[in-house]
Amino acid sequence: MTVHLSRRYTFAASHRLHSHQLSDAENRAIYGKCNNPNGHGHNYEVELTVRGEVDPVTGRAVDLFALDRLAEAQILRPFRYRNLNEEIEAFRLVVPTTENMAFEVDRRLRAVWAEVFPDAGPRLEKVRIWETERNICEISEA
Ligand code: NI
């Protein structure tokens, strides 16, 4: 039996929406107060959805301890309490919008997924990230 199981994580971080490919005036026009030079914080929420077969013995589709360790190592520990623009290499030139955050979270998980969950193990089906209650971005497996 195949199921989808989701698990949520939270972390706080700060950012500034500013594109190096645009002028200061264009940045202000596009991003508004999110372009304020000193940045601002968010309590991000990340939801990982995994697709897997339920093991008849354990009754589980995914080892949650392994998933938690993966999320902690790849996302929570690197991002927590960071200035994303200044401290995360991926966002030095890429604007840390919710969309780009979702890409980066997805990329970081997939980079090591097969090491943690080899062979017929659970697959990463979907990444959702909440920047605010009203601003949510989702990436699904291609
Ligand atoms: Ni923001």
Side-chain angles (χ1 to χ4, degrees), residues 4-41:
H4 292 84
L5 186 139
S6 298
R7 193 155 172 87
R8 288 187 181 185
Y9 304 93
T10 59
F11 64 92
S14 69
H15 72 171
R16 178 194 187 200
L17 299 187
H18 182 92
S19 171
H20 296 286
Q21 299 174 73
L22 299 170
S23 70
D24 286 351
E26 287 170 322
N27 272 294
R28 276 194 298 275
I30 291 170
Y31 298 120
K33 64 184 180 180
C34 298
N35 181 244
N36 284 349
N38 292 326
H40 58 273

PDB file of all heavy atoms in Angstrom, residues 4-41:
ATOM      1  N   HIS A   4       1.081   8.739   1.316  1.00  0.00           N
ATOM      2  CA  HIS A   4       1.810  10.003   1.365  1.00  0.00           C
ATOM      3  C   HIS A   4       1.842  10.452   2.818  1.00  0.00           C
ATOM      4  O   HIS A   4       0.792  10.534   3.456  1.00  0.00           O
ATOM      5  CB  HIS A   4       1.117  11.069   0.515  1.00  0.00           C
ATOM      6  CG  HIS A   4       1.173  10.776  -0.938  1.00  0.00           C
ATOM      7  ND1 HIS A   4       0.269   9.956  -1.563  1.00  0.00           N
ATOM      8  CD2 HIS A   4       2.038  11.173  -1.881  1.00  0.00           C
ATOM      9  CE1 HIS A   4       0.580   9.878  -2.846  1.00  0.00           C
ATOM     10  NE2 HIS A   4       1.647  10.611  -3.065  1.00  0.00           N
ATOM     11  N   LEU A   5       3.023  10.692   3.297  1.00  0.00           N
ATOM     12  CA  LEU A   5       3.168  11.119   4.674  1.00  0.00           C
ATOM     13  C   LEU A   5       3.887  12.466   4.698  1.00  0.00           C
ATOM     14  O   LEU A   5       4.878  12.649   3.994  1.00  0.00           O
ATOM     15  CB  LEU A   5       3.968  10.078   5.453  1.00  0.00           C
ATOM     16  CG  LEU A   5       4.067  10.327   6.958  1.00  0.00           C
ATOM     17  CD1 LEU A   5       3.913   9.021   7.715  1.00  0.00           C
ATOM     18  CD2 LEU A   5       5.379  10.999   7.325  1.00  0.00           C
ATOM     19  N   SER A   6       3.364  13.388   5.491  1.00  0.00           N
ATOM     20  CA  SER A   6       3.972  14.722   5.549  1.00  0.00           C
ATOM     21  C   SER A   6       4.454  15.019   6.957  1.00  0.00           C
ATOM     22  O   SER A   6       3.857  14.581   7.940  1.00  0.00           O
ATOM     23  CB  SER A   6       2.946  15.788   5.133  1.00  0.00           C
ATOM     24  OG  SER A   6       2.547  15.577   3.797  1.00  0.00           O
ATOM     25  N   ARG A   7       5.537  15.752   7.008  1.00  0.00           N
ATOM     26  CA  ARG A   7       6.100  16.147   8.300  1.00  0.00           C
ATOM     27  C   ARG A   7       6.546  17.599   8.202  1.00  0.00           C
ATOM     28  O   ARG A   7       7.121  18.011   7.192  1.00  0.00           O
ATOM     29  CB  ARG A   7       7.276  15.247   8.659  1.00  0.00           C
ATOM     30  CG  ARG A   7       7.726  15.362  10.109  1.00  0.00           C
ATOM     31  CD  ARG A   7       8.417  14.076  10.499  1.00  0.00           C
ATOM     32  NE  ARG A   7       9.066  14.080  11.789  1.00  0.00           N
ATOM     33  CZ  ARG A   7       8.480  13.782  12.947  1.00  0.00           C
ATOM     34  NH1 ARG A   7       7.192  13.496  12.977  1.00  0.00           N
ATOM     35  NH2 ARG A   7       9.163  13.771  14.064  1.00  0.00           N
ATOM     36  N   ARG A   8       6.279  18.346   9.263  1.00  0.00           N
ATOM     37  CA  ARG A   8       6.563  19.781   9.237  1.00  0.00           C
ATOM     38  C   ARG A   8       7.691  20.161  10.177  1.00  0.00           C
ATOM     39  O   ARG A   8       7.850  19.571  11.246  1.00  0.00           O
ATOM     40  CB  ARG A   8       5.315  20.579   9.640  1.00  0.00           C
ATOM     41  CG  ARG A   8       4.252  20.575   8.583  1.00  0.00           C
ATOM     42  CD  ARG A   8       3.115  21.501   8.958  1.00  0.00           C
ATOM     43  NE  ARG A   8       2.081  21.476   7.937  1.00  0.00           N
ATOM     44  CZ  ARG A   8       1.017  22.261   7.946  1.00  0.00           C
ATOM     45  NH1 ARG A   8       0.834  23.130   8.925  1.00  0.00           N
ATOM     46  NH2 ARG A   8       0.133  22.180   6.981  1.00  0.00           N
ATOM     47  N   TYR A   9       8.440  21.161   9.731  1.00  0.00           N
ATOM     48  CA  TYR A   9       9.550  21.697  10.526  1.00  0.00           C
ATOM     49  C   TYR A   9       9.467  23.220  10.497  1.00  0.00           C
ATOM     50  O   TYR A   9       8.932  23.793   9.543  1.00  0.00           O
ATOM     51  CB  TYR A   9      10.890  21.262   9.916  1.00  0.00           C
ATOM     52  CG  TYR A   9      11.041  19.769   9.777  1.00  0.00           C
ATOM     53  CD1 TYR A   9      10.694  19.125   8.589  1.00  0.00           C
ATOM     54  CD2 TYR A   9      11.499  18.993  10.832  1.00  0.00           C
ATOM     55  CE1 TYR A   9      10.817  17.752   8.457  1.00  0.00           C
ATOM     56  CE2 TYR A   9      11.631  17.616  10.702  1.00  0.00           C
ATOM     57  CZ  TYR A   9      11.284  17.008   9.516  1.00  0.00           C
ATOM     58  OH  TYR A   9      11.408  15.654   9.385  1.00  0.00           O
ATOM     59  N   THR A  10      10.006  23.845  11.511  1.00  0.00           N
ATOM     60  CA  THR A  10      10.013  25.307  11.538  1.00  0.00           C
ATOM     61  C   THR A  10      11.422  25.829  11.821  1.00  0.00           C
ATOM     62  O   THR A  10      12.223  25.165  12.483  1.00  0.00           O
ATOM     63  CB  THR A  10       9.061  25.867  12.621  1.00  0.00           C
ATOM     64  OG1 THR A  10       9.482  25.362  13.890  1.00  0.00           O
ATOM     65  CG2 THR A  10       7.631  25.456  12.364  1.00  0.00           C
ATOM     66  N   PHE A  11      11.689  26.994  11.289  1.00  0.00           N
ATOM     67  CA  PHE A  11      12.932  27.687  11.637  1.00  0.00           C
ATOM     68  C   PHE A  11      12.715  29.179  11.405  1.00  0.00           C
ATOM     69  O   PHE A  11      11.906  29.592  10.580  1.00  0.00           O
ATOM     70  CB  PHE A  11      14.127  27.183  10.809  1.00  0.00           C
ATOM     71  CG  PHE A  11      14.017  27.449   9.338  1.00  0.00           C
ATOM     72  CD1 PHE A  11      14.558  28.608   8.796  1.00  0.00           C
ATOM     73  CD2 PHE A  11      13.385  26.547   8.492  1.00  0.00           C
ATOM     74  CE1 PHE A  11      14.466  28.859   7.428  1.00  0.00           C
ATOM     75  CE2 PHE A  11      13.282  26.798   7.139  1.00  0.00           C
ATOM     76  CZ  PHE A  11      13.823  27.950   6.603  1.00  0.00           C
ATOM     77  N   ALA A  12      13.456  29.980  12.155  1.00  0.00           N
ATOM     78  CA  ALA A  12      13.409  31.430  11.983  1.00  0.00           C
ATOM     79  C   ALA A  12      14.661  31.862  11.245  1.00  0.00           C
ATOM     80  O   ALA A  12      15.754  31.336  11.475  1.00  0.00           O
ATOM     81  CB  ALA A  12      13.328  32.112  13.341  1.00  0.00           C
ATOM     82  N   ALA A  13      14.491  32.805  10.329  1.00  0.00           N
ATOM     83  CA  ALA A  13      15.633  33.340   9.588  1.00  0.00           C
ATOM     84  C   ALA A  13      15.248  34.721   9.072  1.00  0.00           C
ATOM     85  O   ALA A  13      14.072  35.093   9.066  1.00  0.00           O
ATOM     86  CB  ALA A  13      16.003  32.420   8.424  1.00  0.00           C
ATOM     87  N   SER A  14      16.262  35.483   8.644  1.00  0.00           N
ATOM     88  CA  SER A  14      15.971  36.800   8.086  1.00  0.00           C
ATOM     89  C   SER A  14      16.445  36.865   6.633  1.00  0.00           C
ATOM     90  O   SER A  14      17.277  36.067   6.196  1.00  0.00           O
ATOM     91  CB  SER A  14      16.663  37.893   8.911  1.00  0.00           C
ATOM     92  OG  SER A  14      18.061  37.824   8.739  1.00  0.00           O
ATOM     93  N   HIS A  15      15.871  37.802   5.924  1.00  0.00           N
ATOM     94  CA  HIS A  15      16.290  37.995   4.532  1.00  0.00           C
ATOM     95  C   HIS A  15      15.940  39.399   4.069  1.00  0.00           C
ATOM     96  O   HIS A  15      15.286  40.172   4.758  1.00  0.00           O
ATOM     97  CB  HIS A  15      15.651  36.943   3.605  1.00  0.00           C
ATOM     98  CG  HIS A  15      14.190  37.126   3.355  1.00  0.00           C
ATOM     99  ND1 HIS A  15      13.493  36.403   2.425  1.00  0.00           N
ATOM    100  CD2 HIS A  15      13.270  37.955   3.916  1.00  0.00           C
ATOM    101  CE1 HIS A  15      12.221  36.778   2.413  1.00  0.00           C
ATOM    102  NE2 HIS A  15      12.066  37.708   3.306  1.00  0.00           N
ATOM    103  N   ARG A  16      16.415  39.696   2.874  1.00  0.00           N
ATOM    104  CA  ARG A  16      16.059  40.934   2.191  1.00  0.00           C
ATOM    105  C   ARG A  16      15.802  40.576   0.740  1.00  0.00           C
ATOM    106  O   ARG A  16      16.607  39.858   0.123  1.00  0.00           O
ATOM    107  CB  ARG A  16      17.220  41.931   2.253  1.00  0.00           C
ATOM    108  CG  ARG A  16      16.909  43.219   1.516  1.00  0.00           C
ATOM    109  CD  ARG A  16      18.170  44.036   1.290  1.00  0.00           C
ATOM    110  NE  ARG A  16      17.816  45.347   0.736  1.00  0.00           N
ATOM    111  CZ  ARG A  16      18.659  46.127   0.085  1.00  0.00           C
ATOM    112  NH1 ARG A  16      19.915  45.767  -0.063  1.00  0.00           N
ATOM    113  NH2 ARG A  16      18.254  47.283  -0.400  1.00  0.00           N
ATOM    114  N   LEU A  17      14.672  41.030   0.211  1.00  0.00           N
ATOM    115  CA  LEU A  17      14.392  40.772  -1.203  1.00  0.00           C
ATOM    116  C   LEU A  17      15.048  41.879  -2.021  1.00  0.00           C
ATOM    117  O   LEU A  17      14.635  43.045  -1.964  1.00  0.00           O
ATOM    118  CB  LEU A  17      12.885  40.702  -1.461  1.00  0.00           C
ATOM    119  CG  LEU A  17      12.161  39.589  -0.689  1.00  0.00           C
ATOM    120  CD1 LEU A  17      10.712  39.492  -1.127  1.00  0.00           C
ATOM    121  CD2 LEU A  17      12.863  38.249  -0.854  1.00  0.00           C
ATOM    122  N   HIS A  18      16.116  41.499  -2.706  1.00  0.00           N
ATOM    123  CA  HIS A  18      16.890  42.471  -3.475  1.00  0.00           C
ATOM    124  C   HIS A  18      17.609  41.731  -4.589  1.00  0.00           C
ATOM    125  O   HIS A  18      18.375  40.809  -4.320  1.00  0.00           O
ATOM    126  CB  HIS A  18      17.911  43.171  -2.561  1.00  0.00           C
ATOM    127  CG  HIS A  18      18.710  44.214  -3.260  1.00  0.00           C
ATOM    128  ND1 HIS A  18      18.326  45.540  -3.292  1.00  0.00           N
ATOM    129  CD2 HIS A  18      19.867  44.132  -3.970  1.00  0.00           C
ATOM    130  CE1 HIS A  18      19.221  46.227  -3.988  1.00  0.00           C
ATOM    131  NE2 HIS A  18      20.156  45.400  -4.412  1.00  0.00           N
ATOM    132  N   SER A  19      17.368  42.142  -5.828  1.00  0.00           N
ATOM    133  CA  SER A  19      18.029  41.499  -6.958  1.00  0.00           C
ATOM    134  C   SER A  19      19.220  42.336  -7.407  1.00  0.00           C
ATOM    135  O   SER A  19      19.086  43.538  -7.663  1.00  0.00           O
ATOM    136  CB  SER A  19      17.048  41.333  -8.129  1.00  0.00           C
ATOM    137  OG  SER A  19      17.770  40.891  -9.266  1.00  0.00           O
ATOM    138  N   HIS A  20      20.367  41.691  -7.519  1.00  0.00           N
ATOM    139  CA  HIS A  20      21.567  42.388  -7.980  1.00  0.00           C
ATOM    140  C   HIS A  20      21.477  42.734  -9.462  1.00  0.00           C
ATOM    141  O   HIS A  20      22.310  43.471  -9.980  1.00  0.00           O
ATOM    142  CB  HIS A  20      22.811  41.533  -7.707  1.00  0.00           C
ATOM    143  CG  HIS A  20      23.048  41.314  -6.246  1.00  0.00           C
ATOM    144  ND1 HIS A  20      23.538  42.304  -5.429  1.00  0.00           N
ATOM    145  CD2 HIS A  20      22.816  40.254  -5.437  1.00  0.00           C
ATOM    146  CE1 HIS A  20      23.631  41.851  -4.186  1.00  0.00           C
ATOM    147  NE2 HIS A  20      23.183  40.603  -4.166  1.00  0.00           N
ATOM    148  N   GLN A  21      20.486  42.192 -10.136  1.00  0.00           N
ATOM    149  CA  GLN A  21      20.312  42.471 -11.565  1.00  0.00           C
ATOM    150  C   GLN A  21      19.409  43.673 -11.813  1.00  0.00           C
ATOM    151  O   GLN A  21      19.140  44.015 -12.966  1.00  0.00           O
ATOM    152  CB  GLN A  21      19.732  41.236 -12.270  1.00  0.00           C
ATOM    153  CG  GLN A  21      20.662  40.025 -12.162  1.00  0.00           C
ATOM    154  CD  GLN A  21      20.029  38.779 -12.729  1.00  0.00           C
ATOM    155  OE1 GLN A  21      19.901  38.634 -13.929  1.00  0.00           O
ATOM    156  NE2 GLN A  21      19.641  37.884 -11.857  1.00  0.00           N
ATOM    157  N   LEU A  22      18.931  44.277 -10.712  1.00  0.00           N
ATOM    158  CA  LEU A  22      18.037  45.434 -10.843  1.00  0.00           C
ATOM    159  C   LEU A  22      18.642  46.627 -10.109  1.00  0.00           C
ATOM    160  O   LEU A  22      19.462  46.458  -9.199  1.00  0.00           O
ATOM    161  CB  LEU A  22      16.669  45.099 -10.223  1.00  0.00           C
ATOM    162  CG  LEU A  22      15.902  43.929 -10.852  1.00  0.00           C
ATOM    163  CD1 LEU A  22      14.705  43.555  -9.989  1.00  0.00           C
ATOM    164  CD2 LEU A  22      15.452  44.300 -12.266  1.00  0.00           C
ATOM    165  N   SER A  23      18.206  47.817 -10.501  1.00  0.00           N
ATOM    166  CA  SER A  23      18.672  49.024  -9.815  1.00  0.00           C
ATOM    167  C   SER A  23      18.004  49.121  -8.442  1.00  0.00           C
ATOM    168  O   SER A  23      17.016  48.431  -8.168  1.00  0.00           O
ATOM    169  CB  SER A  23      18.310  50.265 -10.635  1.00  0.00           C
ATOM    170  OG  SER A  23      16.898  50.445 -10.599  1.00  0.00           O
ATOM    171  N   ASP A  24      18.538  50.005  -7.595  1.00  0.00           N
ATOM    172  CA  ASP A  24      17.921  50.200  -6.274  1.00  0.00           C
ATOM    173  C   ASP A  24      16.469  50.649  -6.417  1.00  0.00           C
ATOM    174  O   ASP A  24      15.598  50.197  -5.677  1.00  0.00           O
ATOM    175  CB  ASP A  24      18.720  51.231  -5.470  1.00  0.00           C
ATOM    176  CG  ASP A  24      20.045  50.661  -4.970  1.00  0.00           C
ATOM    177  OD1 ASP A  24      20.250  49.435  -5.100  1.00  0.00           O
ATOM    178  OD2 ASP A  24      20.867  51.442  -4.456  1.00  0.00           O
ATOM    179  N   ALA A  25      16.228  51.546  -7.370  1.00  0.00           N
ATOM    180  CA  ALA A  25      14.863  52.043  -7.566  1.00  0.00           C
ATOM    181  C   ALA A  25      13.938  50.915  -8.029  1.00  0.00           C
ATOM    182  O   ALA A  25      12.800  50.793  -7.565  1.00  0.00           O
ATOM    183  CB  ALA A  25      14.865  53.183  -8.583  1.00  0.00           C
ATOM    184  N   GLU A  26      14.444  50.093  -8.939  1.00  0.00           N
ATOM    185  CA  GLU A  26      13.625  48.962  -9.414  1.00  0.00           C
ATOM    186  C   GLU A  26      13.357  47.983  -8.273  1.00  0.00           C
ATOM    187  O   GLU A  26      12.247  47.466  -8.134  1.00  0.00           O
ATOM    188  CB  GLU A  26      14.343  48.243 -10.554  1.00  0.00           C
ATOM    189  CG  GLU A  26      14.346  49.023 -11.861  1.00  0.00           C
ATOM    190  CD  GLU A  26      15.263  48.402 -12.912  1.00  0.00           C
ATOM    191  OE1 GLU A  26      16.354  47.897 -12.562  1.00  0.00           O
ATOM    192  OE2 GLU A  26      14.885  48.439 -14.093  1.00  0.00           O
ATOM    193  N   ASN A  27      14.363  47.723  -7.459  1.00  0.00           N
ATOM    194  CA  ASN A  27      14.180  46.824  -6.317  1.00  0.00           C
ATOM    195  C   ASN A  27      13.109  47.351  -5.371  1.00  0.00           C
ATOM    196  O   ASN A  27      12.248  46.594  -4.912  1.00  0.00           O
ATOM    197  CB  ASN A  27      15.506  46.633  -5.572  1.00  0.00           C
ATOM    198  CG  ASN A  27      16.332  45.490  -6.137  1.00  0.00           C
ATOM    199  OD1 ASN A  27      15.941  44.336  -6.046  1.00  0.00           O
ATOM    200  ND2 ASN A  27      17.458  45.810  -6.740  1.00  0.00           N
ATOM    201  N   ARG A  28      13.182  48.654  -5.100  1.00  0.00           N
ATOM    202  CA  ARG A  28      12.177  49.243  -4.191  1.00  0.00           C
ATOM    203  C   ARG A  28      10.781  49.131  -4.800  1.00  0.00           C
ATOM    204  O   ARG A  28       9.808  48.837  -4.110  1.00  0.00           O
ATOM    205  CB  ARG A  28      12.515  50.705  -3.908  1.00  0.00           C
ATOM    206  CG  ARG A  28      13.540  50.893  -2.794  1.00  0.00           C
ATOM    207  CD  ARG A  28      13.602  52.342  -2.314  1.00  0.00           C
ATOM    208  NE  ARG A  28      14.013  53.266  -3.360  1.00  0.00           N
ATOM    209  CZ  ARG A  28      15.296  53.533  -3.676  1.00  0.00           C
ATOM    210  NH1 ARG A  28      16.273  52.944  -3.014  1.00  0.00           N
ATOM    211  NH2 ARG A  28      15.582  54.382  -4.649  1.00  0.00           N
ATOM    212  N   ALA A  29      10.703  49.360  -6.113  1.00  0.00           N
ATOM    213  CA  ALA A  29       9.400  49.323  -6.782  1.00  0.00           C
ATOM    214  C   ALA A  29       8.821  47.910  -6.776  1.00  0.00           C
ATOM    215  O   ALA A  29       7.621  47.711  -6.585  1.00  0.00           O
ATOM    216  CB  ALA A  29       9.544  49.835  -8.213  1.00  0.00           C
ATOM    217  N   ILE A  30       9.671  46.921  -6.958  1.00  0.00           N
ATOM    218  CA  ILE A  30       9.186  45.537  -7.073  1.00  0.00           C
ATOM    219  C   ILE A  30       8.912  44.920  -5.707  1.00  0.00           C
ATOM    220  O   ILE A  30       7.873  44.288  -5.494  1.00  0.00           O
ATOM    221  CB  ILE A  30      10.217  44.678  -7.843  1.00  0.00           C
ATOM    222  CG1 ILE A  30      10.252  45.107  -9.305  1.00  0.00           C
ATOM    223  CG2 ILE A  30       9.881  43.185  -7.726  1.00  0.00           C
ATOM    224  CD1 ILE A  30      11.386  44.494 -10.089  1.00  0.00           C
ATOM    225  N   TYR A  31       9.840  45.107  -4.780  1.00  0.00           N
ATOM    226  CA  TYR A  31       9.740  44.383  -3.505  1.00  0.00           C
ATOM    227  C   TYR A  31       9.168  45.223  -2.367  1.00  0.00           C
ATOM    228  O   TYR A  31       8.868  44.673  -1.300  1.00  0.00           O
ATOM    229  CB  TYR A  31      11.120  43.847  -3.106  1.00  0.00           C
ATOM    230  CG  TYR A  31      11.697  42.857  -4.088  1.00  0.00           C
ATOM    231  CD1 TYR A  31      12.899  43.112  -4.727  1.00  0.00           C
ATOM    232  CD2 TYR A  31      11.042  41.657  -4.368  1.00  0.00           C
ATOM    233  CE1 TYR A  31      13.454  42.208  -5.621  1.00  0.00           C
ATOM    234  CE2 TYR A  31      11.582  40.746  -5.264  1.00  0.00           C
ATOM    235  CZ  TYR A  31      12.783  41.029  -5.890  1.00  0.00           C
ATOM    236  OH  TYR A  31      13.317  40.123  -6.774  1.00  0.00           O
ATOM    237  N   GLY A  32       9.069  46.530  -2.556  1.00  0.00           N
ATOM    238  CA  GLY A  32       8.476  47.375  -1.514  1.00  0.00           C
ATOM    239  C   GLY A  32       9.237  47.294  -0.209  1.00  0.00           C
ATOM    240  O   GLY A  32      10.468  47.302  -0.193  1.00  0.00           O
ATOM    241  N   LYS A  33       8.506  47.153   0.886  1.00  0.00           N
ATOM    242  CA  LYS A  33       9.154  47.144   2.203  1.00  0.00           C
ATOM    243  C   LYS A  33      10.026  45.909   2.396  1.00  0.00           C
ATOM    244  O   LYS A  33      10.915  45.896   3.250  1.00  0.00           O
ATOM    245  CB  LYS A  33       8.100  47.249   3.311  1.00  0.00           C
ATOM    246  CG  LYS A  33       7.157  46.079   3.362  1.00  0.00           C
ATOM    247  CD  LYS A  33       6.070  46.256   4.401  1.00  0.00           C
ATOM    248  CE  LYS A  33       5.208  45.025   4.363  1.00  0.00           C
ATOM    249  NZ  LYS A  33       4.124  44.870   5.181  1.00  0.00           N
ATOM    250  N   CYS A  34       9.808  44.857   1.605  1.00  0.00           N
ATOM    251  CA  CYS A  34      10.652  43.657   1.700  1.00  0.00           C
ATOM    252  C   CYS A  34      12.069  43.933   1.201  1.00  0.00           C
ATOM    253  O   CYS A  34      12.961  43.095   1.357  1.00  0.00           O
ATOM    254  CB  CYS A  34      10.043  42.510   0.901  1.00  0.00           C
ATOM    255  SG  CYS A  34       8.430  42.035   1.520  1.00  0.00           S
ATOM    256  N   ASN A  35      12.267  45.115   0.579  1.00  0.00           N
ATOM    257  CA  ASN A  35      13.588  45.513   0.090  1.00  0.00           C
ATOM    258  C   ASN A  35      14.341  46.376   1.107  1.00  0.00           C
ATOM    259  O   ASN A  35      15.474  46.794   0.855  1.00  0.00           O
ATOM    260  CB  ASN A  35      13.428  46.264  -1.245  1.00  0.00           C
ATOM    261  CG  ASN A  35      14.747  46.703  -1.849  1.00  0.00           C
ATOM    262  OD1 ASN A  35      15.020  47.888  -1.996  1.00  0.00           O
ATOM    263  ND2 ASN A  35      15.582  45.743  -2.193  1.00  0.00           N
ATOM    264  N   ASN A  36      13.746  46.664   2.250  1.00  0.00           N
ATOM    265  CA  ASN A  36      14.423  47.475   3.270  1.00  0.00           C
ATOM    266  C   ASN A  36      15.840  46.961   3.496  1.00  0.00           C
ATOM    267  O   ASN A  36      16.038  45.757   3.662  1.00  0.00           O
ATOM    268  CB  ASN A  36      13.655  47.449   4.594  1.00  0.00           C
ATOM    269  CG  ASN A  36      12.413  48.336   4.559  1.00  0.00           C
ATOM    270  OD1 ASN A  36      12.249  49.122   3.623  1.00  0.00           O
ATOM    271  ND2 ASN A  36      11.562  48.194   5.543  1.00  0.00           N
ATOM    272  N   PRO A  37      16.819  47.873   3.508  1.00  0.00           N
ATOM    273  CA  PRO A  37      18.233  47.451   3.515  1.00  0.00           C
ATOM    274  C   PRO A  37      18.612  46.509   4.654  1.00  0.00           C
ATOM    275  O   PRO A  37      19.462  45.642   4.469  1.00  0.00           O
ATOM    276  CB  PRO A  37      18.981  48.780   3.633  1.00  0.00           C
ATOM    277  CG  PRO A  37      18.059  49.779   3.033  1.00  0.00           C
ATOM    278  CD  PRO A  37      16.673  49.327   3.380  1.00  0.00           C
ATOM    279  N   ASN A  38      18.020  46.676   5.811  1.00  0.00           N
ATOM    280  CA  ASN A  38      18.446  45.845   6.943  1.00  0.00           C
ATOM    281  C   ASN A  38      17.698  44.526   7.077  1.00  0.00           C
ATOM    282  O   ASN A  38      17.922  43.776   8.033  1.00  0.00           O
ATOM    283  CB  ASN A  38      18.359  46.639   8.245  1.00  0.00           C
ATOM    284  CG  ASN A  38      19.389  47.758   8.275  1.00  0.00           C
ATOM    285  OD1 ASN A  38      20.490  47.606   7.733  1.00  0.00           O
ATOM    286  ND2 ASN A  38      19.034  48.882   8.858  1.00  0.00           N
ATOM    287  N   GLY A  39      16.804  44.255   6.146  1.00  0.00           N
ATOM    288  CA  GLY A  39      16.125  42.960   6.141  1.00  0.00           C
ATOM    289  C   GLY A  39      15.060  42.837   7.214  1.00  0.00           C
ATOM    290  O   GLY A  39      14.765  43.784   7.940  1.00  0.00           O
ATOM    291  N   HIS A  40      14.498  41.647   7.292  1.00  0.00           N
ATOM    292  CA  HIS A  40      13.420  41.368   8.252  1.00  0.00           C
ATOM    293  C   HIS A  40      13.338  39.859   8.421  1.00  0.00           C
ATOM    294  O   HIS A  40      13.858  39.104   7.597  1.00  0.00           O
ATOM    295  CB  HIS A  40      12.091  41.925   7.731  1.00  0.00           C
ATOM    296  CG  HIS A  40      11.716  41.360   6.400  1.00  0.00           C
ATOM    297  ND1 HIS A  40      12.152  41.906   5.212  1.00  0.00           N
ATOM    298  CD2 HIS A  40      11.002  40.264   6.063  1.00  0.00           C
ATOM    299  CE1 HIS A  40      11.703  41.188   4.207  1.00  0.00           C
ATOM    300  NE2 HIS A  40      11.005  40.172   4.679  1.00  0.00           N
ATOM    301  N   GLY A  41      12.664  39.433   9.475  1.00  0.00           N
ATOM    302  CA  GLY A  41      12.642  38.006   9.791  1.00  0.00           C
ATOM    303  C   GLY A  41      11.329  37.321   9.449  1.00  0.00           C
ATOM    304  O   GLY A  41      10.291  37.975   9.276  1.00  0.00           O
TER     305      GLY A  41
END
